[in-house]
Amino acid sequence: AGRTSIMSSSLGVYAGAPDGSWLRLPSPSPAVPGRHDLELAYESERDAVVLYTDATNLVWELHGTNWSVITSATAPVQCRDGALVRYDPLRRKTVLVGTRGPAEGSLPTSTSPSETWLWDGANWAQAAGTSSSPRGAAGGGMAFDAARGEMVLLTMGTMQTWTFDGAKWTRRSPATPPSPGLWVFDLAYDPVSQLCVFFCGETTQQPLLYPRNTWAWNGKDWNQLGPLKSPPATLYYALAYFPER
């Protein structure tokens, strides 16, 4: 899931097939308002794809090829850019971390306050406010670490490592954190190696660079990996584990 999983211009939704091809699915109905930031998360327990949009308390869910719309009694944080949405299968809730706003035409920063919300299939509930959620989360990366049963978040710019146990955030102190000064990157969990993998990103300062580095989190520290081949430098990409391949 991620901002590249659904294109805001035409709202084309695609699913990856086991043979590596893409299948276009029906677009959300009714149409999704907003479109500043659209994020997807797959809830394996309910076999549902949850669509988050910043503009409303409505939640779109895709079951097979059918969309449904659920009205939450509470509206979550309305994050215009960089929201992080991932499913926690241990607690059976989708986790949303984002910055309220920012203003039209502005971007989140490494000091932007964050909020943490949980979706249970019927309603949103705040799990942590701005005083206890990681600053600079919007524009960072997040993945559920199944081996350790916690969400792992890497903040933009400062590259701080935080973990979430479903109730509270804890800042970790790795000996070798990834190089600072990056944003709009992504994290994905690899169940084979039991590592959270982080790749690429864009520098937050000029000149804009796109380092093709790969890092892995083992629950205690980050290690820079040295794959024989790496994808090209890229921006606004999605990173996910594909078990069929």
Side-chain angles (χ1 to χ4, degrees):
R3 67 185 68 188
T4 54
S5 299
I6 181 166
M7 282 66 75
S8 61
S9 58
S10 61
L11 287 179
V13 183
Y14 293 81
D19 64 359
S21 63
W22 288 96
L23 173 67
R24 182 157 187 171
L25 301 178
S27 296
S29 179
V32 179
R35 301 188 186 182
H36 283 98
D37 197 358
L38 301 175
E39 300 291 336
L40 303 176
Y42 175 64
E43 295 197 356
S44 54
E45 296 293 333
R46 298 191 299 120
D47 192 22
V49 176
V50 177
L51 186 155
Y52 162 82
T53 174
D54 69 299
T56 177
N57 65 330
L58 300 180
V59 175
W60 276 253
E61 289 195 346
L62 178 65
H63 299 263
T65 58
N66 298 313
W67 287 96
S68 61
V69 182
I70 304 170
T71 302
S72 173
T74 305
V77 58
Q78 296 182 357
C79 183
R80 288 181 179 271
D81 191 26
L84 304 178
V85 181
R86 294 291 185 271
Y87 180 57
D88 179 342
L90 185 62
R91 298 159 189 92
R92 300 184 180 183
K93 294 181 180 180
T94 291
V95 180
L96 160 67
V97 187
T99 295
R100 194 169 294 275
E104 187 74 37
S106 300
L107 295 173
T109 70
S110 60
T111 60
S112 295
S114 305
E115 298 178 28
T116 306
W117 290 76
L118 304 178
W119 171 251
D120 63 3
N123 287 297
W124 286 105
Q126 190 179 64
T130 56
S131 62
S132 50
S133 297
R135 283 184 173 268
M142 186 170 71
F144 182 74
D145 186 344
R148 285 152 283 274
E150 58 191 12
M151 204 66 72
V152 177
L153 187 151
L154 197 59
T155 61
M156 69 166 288
T158 56
M159 310 303 281
Q160 295 177 0
T161 303
W162 292 76
T163 55
F164 182 66
D165 63 3
K168 63 181 178 62
W169 287 99
T170 300
R171 183 176 174 181
R172 308 297 293 273
S173 300
T176 54
S179 303
L182 296 175
W183 78 313
V184 292
F185 48 82
D186 206 356
L187 266 69
Y189 177 73
D190 180 353
V192 177
S193 63
Q194 297 188 334
L195 299 172
C196 288
V197 180
F198 147 60
F199 173 73
C200 202
E202 179 186 66
T203 55
T204 56
Q205 302 293 329
Q206 298 286 350
L208 297 181
L209 302 174
Y210 306 89
R212 299 166 60 200
N213 297 327
T214 302
W215 292 78
W217 171 255
N218 61 15
K220 294 183 179 179
D221 201 4
W222 290 96
N223 294 290
Q224 187 170 356
L225 307 182
L228 295 178
K229 295 182 179 180
S230 295
T234 186
L235 182 65
Y236 296 129
Y237 66 96
L239 191 65
Y241 180 74
F242 198 2
E244 286 83 0
R245 302 293 287 181

